Structure formats: C-alpha cells, structure tokens
Amino acid sequence: MKNTLAKSIIHPFVAAAFLGLSFTSVAQYTSASRNVLSQNTGTWSSGGVSLGGTSFVVQGLQGVGRVAANSTQTIGGVTETLGSVSDMAITNWAYNGSNNWSGTFSFLPDRGYNSGTTYSNYSARINTFDFSFTPHTSSATTTLQNQIAMTYTGATRFTYDHDANSLTTPIVTTGLVANSAATSFLGQPVPTFTANTTIGVDGPIANRLTLDSEGLILDHRPGKSGEGWIGDEYGAFIYHFNANKEIDGVVTIPAALVPHRPAGTTYFTDSPANVDGRRVNQGMEGIAISPDGTRLFAMLQSATMQDSGTGNQGRTNTRILAYDISGGAEVPTDPIEQYVLQLPRIDSDLNGSVDRAGAQSGIVALDNGKILILSRDGNGRGPSVATGPVFKSVLLADLTTGTNIDGLYDAAGADLTPSGDTLVASVTPVAWTEALNMLGKIDLGDTEIGQFGLNLLGNDGDINTLSEKWEAMALVPTNDGNPNDYFIFIGNDNDFQTQTGLLTQADGTSLAYNAGLDNDTMVLAYRVTIVPEPCSALLLLGGGTALLGLRRRRN
C-alpha cells in the first residue's frame, strides 16, 4: 500500500536530521552531472536527496486529473477553446478527512492557440476550477484518472489602463505576437500589437498590450488578497496586478535581459530575432514568492542570446533574479540578487549526444534560498517527435551556492559566456539536484505514471501519452498530522491542441481550427516529504512544527 500510516516509523532521512547524523543519497542528475543521455525511467532513491540542509523524499504519484482538450469557455461575449495550464496557484485548500482534500485551482493559460502564421487574439486570464482530491494509495495499477476531480467555475481576464486615463474603462490584453519595437506603459517599454484589435465589445483598439503569460503568483501577504504577479514571455517582464486583476505595475529587470535589435534598441518582434537579451519564447517562464513573503523570484526559461553557445544545448546558462519585497513592495525596481543556473543537457533523440537544454518551465520557493525548478525536454504528446519523453523532472536548487552577480552583468548585452557557453571563471553557478523524476518509478515494475495508465510513446503517442509541456507547479501541505508532508501538483500546457478548436481573430471574429490531435489538460499529484519544512505561510497552513511519524510510501 502507498502511504500506509506508520506513525511509529520515522523516515530514515528525517531520523538522520533529527539525530544530527549525516545522510547521503545521490540523485542520478545534479548540477555536476547534468548530461541526460538515456530515457530517465530509473528507480528513485528511497532515501530521497539532500542539498544545503534540505532533504526531499518522493513518496509517489498519487493522483491524476484531466480536462478534455475540446472544452470551451465563454467570457466577455467571446467563446474560445479552454486549454492550457502554464502556471497555477491553489487556494481554499482543506483536508476533509477520510483520505480526501479539496481546493480551488487558479490556472494561468498562455497566449492561446498558435500554428504557423495563425495566432490567437487571446486575452490573458485566470481560469478557476474547484477540485476534490482523493489519492490513490494502493500499489495496484488503475485505469482511472479521476483522483483529481475538477469543475470549471469561471474566469477573470486581466485588464490595464491603455490610455493613462482613470476615467476610461480598462481594456483586456491580446496574445497576438508583438509587431512594435516598443510602446511605453507605466514608464516602461512593452510589447504591443500595433493594428486595431477587437475582443468582444472591447475594441477596436490599436497598440494593445500583448502577453504570453507563463508565471503566476497570488500574493499571500496580509492585506494583499487577490493581488499578484504575472511572468511574461514576450517581454521577459513581470507585471503586477491588483485585486481587480488590473495590471498596475511593471517590475524593472536588468537591461541584459531586455531584447534589443540593434544592440541598445529595445525590440520585441519575433522576426528577425533580437541580438541580445531574452530569447524569443524564452522569457520569464517561472516566478515565485518566498513563503515568508520577503522575496520575489523570477527565472528565464533558458539563457539569454548573449549567454548562449551553439545549438539548443548551448542555452544552458539561465539567470535567476531575486527582489526584496519585505517592505510590502509590489513593483520592485531593482533585484538584490542574481544567479546563474546551468540547466540539464538532454539527448532528446537518444543518438548519443546532447542536443537540447532542459528548459525550466516553473518554479516554487521553499525559503529565501531554496527553490524547486520544473525542467523538461520537448518530447511527448503535442509535437511529432519519434522519441518519447526523455527527461521531465523537478530540481532542488540552493541559491546560496552560486555567485551573486547582481550589478556585474546588468548592462544591455552583458555576456556571462564570452567563449561559447562556458561561464566566466569568476562566476560559480547554483548547485542543484534532481528531486522528482516524472518518468521514474519507486518500487513498481512499471513507472509511476504507468500505474495510472499513462505512457511514454513517441510520434504523438495516444491520448494517454505524457504530454510535452509540463509547466505549472504548486506545493501545499497535507495537513493530515504529518507536518513535513506535502502534495506537489504539476500541470501541463496543452497548447490549446484539439481537433475541434475555436479561437478569436484580430478583428474579433471566431475561427475554427484543427490542431491535428486532442491533447487534454492534465494535473498530476505527488506526495513528498520535505525537511526542514517550508516556513511561514506554508508552515501556518501545515499547522504545527513537531517532528511526528511520517507516512511511508510502501509497506
């Protein structure tokens, strides 16, 4: 049985920490050994991993939920395909007893369906789902994927003051690709779509702010309910929104991350690509707030143009920013810390050499120095790739192990890797270890996903093939008497792929599309043990700090 109650048994990792003993468990992949040359389907270490005084033990995959790819929603008079989870937050979280939990998902979609020259005039929004979670704790396989039962409850679109006039009604954003070099908004150059766009009754509007929303934070600090931040890929920016979901601030990022063409001139369009700064579609993919509410973290999906070497595998040196928001700041103007993290390098076609950086797709902060990072390849259901998924994992990173480069490489075009993708000698990258392997297994003959009827087929596989883009991640305490135990929920971005899709065009009219396959929105739930437990807000939710007996993954 998974998670058999065994309060008289202390997990070996926890016992070691409690007794002051040293305990070493080596992950297959770490920052010192990051070349992934085979499909990562091995067995997890029962002792978990440890880094910088934090231990992380995976107890197993315990639930799956899915939303049909052809689901639609109507908001503001516009009906569109629902799709996509690029990030998530969980509120109203509760343990109901009898192996049942409930809460509300806030799902952040990205820019809507796009293929070739077809792009959606899709307004950025939060989709909400009430959900019930009943973990599957048996070691037996199941064909059911209903442990996470989700009910769509509505959506809220982000708005902004496009004309700097508080007397006019704020308008919604678009997902159309920026075609302006830069337009000023709140004192910052931002990407916009210059031609008129209409979304429902909103329009026609020229120079509409365009967002490819990838990261979401709901502010948990006192007095900030409903507020938060969005991580954007088009501009590599972080936008703050108020309780009405109106964008009211742009967090300042170093010029080295801002796209330029030519050098020194801010430039947001896709073609031709910028010469330095964030790479196209590789912007602020991950953002997080520390549990104590004092730090705002942001991370580029992969290396900037100037920090990259040749090939996709040369995009490995990505940057992490940390802002001080301890004084209640909502729109900080300058990071206080910056680090470099070297992403895994993956042999995505299994031909014997690395050809891809394991781009990060989401982050969660455990404290002011430890973050979880969702890193993945580009294989799985969605793109037509012959090889099935090779690497999709959660990394545990310790920022205190890296060199704080704040203020040293901030200028436009500032290059950390003047020789290919080799870091300058004065910069030490952040140490990390693989903490959760989505393709792996614990003590089953099958992979953990295989226990729930999912597979790792290539060439788009079938409806049960693990999809390409796992991008959303949220951590919540179990609240069931085990203060070091948490659930990690991981969601996929299905790219709005369905054979019966509906999108909004620039002029506001609807267009039916066929993406060639149905790629359901999915959420996976893993139970994990983290010692020491994440502090402050998460600790308060967890209730209590005593070291109690923990649930074991198997008998």
Side-chain angles (χ1 to χ4, degrees):
M1 293 285 290
K2 294 182 185 176
N3 284 338
T4 301
L5 280 174
K7 291 197 174 183
S8 62
I9 301 175
I10 303 293
H11 193 285
F13 230 45
V14 179
F18 184 66
L19 297 174
L21 303 176
S22 61
F23 188 97
T24 302
S25 180
V26 179
Q28 182 171 2
Y29 298 106
T30 69
S31 52
S33 178
R34 57 194 178 94
N35 287 346
V36 183
L37 299 176
S38 61
Q39 194 173 39
N40 193 25
T41 54
T43 302
W44 286 328
S45 166
S46 61
V49 297
S50 181
L51 181 67
T54 295
S55 69
F56 190 103
V57 181
V58 180
Q59 299 186 38
L61 177 63
Q62 295 198 342
V64 178
R66 62 197 308 158
V67 178
N70 63 357
S71 300
T72 61
Q73 65 180 152
T74 301
I75 181 171
V78 178
T79 301
E80 297 162 301
T81 294
L82 182 61
S84 191
V85 183
S86 284
D87 206 356
M88 69 165 75
I90 296 176
T91 54
N92 304 320
W93 175 247
Y95 174 50
N96 305 315
S98 302
N99 194 43
N100 179 261
W101 286 259
S102 60
T104 300
F105 285 129
S106 290
F107 286 156
L108 182 79
D110 56 18
R111 62 183 175 181
Y113 179 73
N114 63 92
S115 176
T117 59
T118 300
Y119 290 89
S120 300
N121 184 17
Y122 185 83
S123 51
R125 69 198 65 184
I126 293 176
N127 293 323
T128 54
F129 286 78
D130 286 340
F131 71 96
S132 175
F133 174 43
T134 305
H136 177 70
T137 58
S138 167
S139 60
T141 59
T142 178
T143 58
L144 299 178
Q145 297 170 357
N146 61 356
Q147 295 79 25
I148 308 170
M150 295 176 278
T151 302
Y152 174 70
T153 57
T156 303
R157 297 183 296 181
F158 295 105
T159 62
Y160 73 105
D161 182 1
H162 72 294
D163 57 3
N165 183 350
S166 61
L167 298 180
T168 58
T169 303
I171 66 171
V172 298
T173 66
T174 182
L176 294 169
V177 175
N179 60 2
S180 64
T183 300
S184 180
F185 172 59
L186 297 175
Q188 296 264 24
V190 297
T192 60
F193 187 79
T194 57
N196 283 335
T197 51
T198 300
I199 305 176
V201 298
D202 187 350
I205 299 289
N207 292 311
R208 192 185 295 266
L209 177 65
T210 184
L211 291 181
D212 186 356
S213 305
E214 298 289 347
L216 174 67
I217 296 172
L218 294 182
D219 200 336
H220 60 63
R221 296 176 297 173
K224 303 290 186 180
S225 178
E227 299 182 29
W229 294 266
I230 313 165
D232 170 57
E233 207 160 58
Y234 279 148
F237 290 136
I238 309 160
Y239 295 98
H240 181 266
F241 58 86
N242 62 27
N244 294 322
K245 304 303 181 285
E246 181 179 346
I247 298 170
D248 60 3
V250 186
V251 176
T252 304
I253 62 173
L257 278 60
V258 177
H260 300 102
R261 184 180 181 89
T265 302
T266 303
Y267 179 89
F268 293 113
T269 62
D270 280 8
S271 181
N274 48 292
V275 297
D276 61 49
R278 68 96 179 98
R279 186 177 296 274
V280 171
N281 291 334
Q282 302 279 290
M284 286 301 180
E285 187 79 15
I287 59 174
I289 187 172
S290 62
D292 68 3
T294 64
R295 293 289 185 273
L296 173 67
F297 296 101
M299 187 173 179
L300 287 180
Q301 187 167 25
S302 68
T304 63
M305 296 289 286
Q306 70 269 22
D307 293 340
S308 298
T310 58
N312 188 298
Q313 70 274 19
R315 305 176 184 182
T316 183
N317 294 294
T318 191
R319 301 198 191 195
I320 304 172
L321 312 179
Y323 293 87
D324 182 2
I325 56 172
S326 59
E330 299 170 344
V331 190
T333 58
D334 187 45
I336 59 169
E337 298 170 10
Q338 296 183 57
Y339 302 96
V340 177
L341 182 137
Q342 296 186 309
L343 296 164
R345 294 179 295 199
I346 303 166
D347 178 6
S348 66
D349 55 9
L350 300 180
N351 70 352
S353 60
V354 294
D355 57 13
R356 186 179 184 94
Q360 72 82 18
S361 294
I363 64 175
V364 168
L366 298 181
D367 57 33
N368 286 359
K370 306 288 194 318
I371 60 174
L372 301 177
I373 301 166
L374 186 54
S375 172
R376 60 171 178 81
D377 61 11
N379 297 4
R381 187 162 179 82
S384 184
V385 178
T387 305
V390 174
F391 184 88
K392 300 185 192 295
S393 294
V394 177
L395 316 178
L396 169 63
D398 182 0
L399 301 185
T400 66
T401 61
T403 302
N404 181 2
I405 62 169
D406 187 54
L408 301 178
Y409 295 89
D410 288 2
D415 190 356
L416 287 158
T417 60
S419 301
D421 60 358
T422 302
L423 276 174
V424 294
S426 59
V427 175
T428 300
V430 167
W432 58 262
T433 182
E434 183 186 22
L436 189 159
N437 171 12
M438 295 175 65
L439 312 187
K441 53 194 173 185
I442 297 183
D443 54 7
L444 297 168
D446 198 0
T447 60
E448 289 289 302
I449 61 168
Q451 187 190 12
F452 291 83
L454 301 174
N455 63 67
L456 300 175
L457 298 176
N459 293 320
D460 285 331
D462 56 37
I463 197 67
N464 285 313
T465 298
L466 199 68
S467 65
E468 172 199 8
K469 296 181 178 180
W470 293 88
E471 299 192 351
M473 186 165 56
L475 179 72
V476 287
T478 62
N479 290 339
D480 61 355
N482 296 288
N484 298 104
D485 278 17
Y486 299 83
F487 290 116
I488 289 183
F489 289 85
I490 301 177
N492 72 328
D493 172 10
N494 71 347
D495 277 339
F496 294 79
Q497 291 177 314
T498 175
Q499 297 180 78
T500 55
L502 194 63
L503 62 80
T504 301
Q505 301 182 97
D507 63 1
T509 60
S510 294
L511 175 69
Y513 68 87
N514 181 353
L517 54 78
D518 287 298
N519 187 6
D520 288 351
T521 294
M522 297 188 67
V523 179
L524 308 181
Y526 296 82
R527 186 167 179 133
V528 301
T529 301
I530 305 174
V531 180
E533 58 184 332
C535 59
S536 190
L538 288 181
L539 189 150
L540 291 173
L541 287 171
T545 58
L547 182 66
L548 302 177
L550 300 182
R551 293 173 181 254
R552 291 185 61 85
R553 174 57 171 75
R554 308 280 185 202
N555 274 336

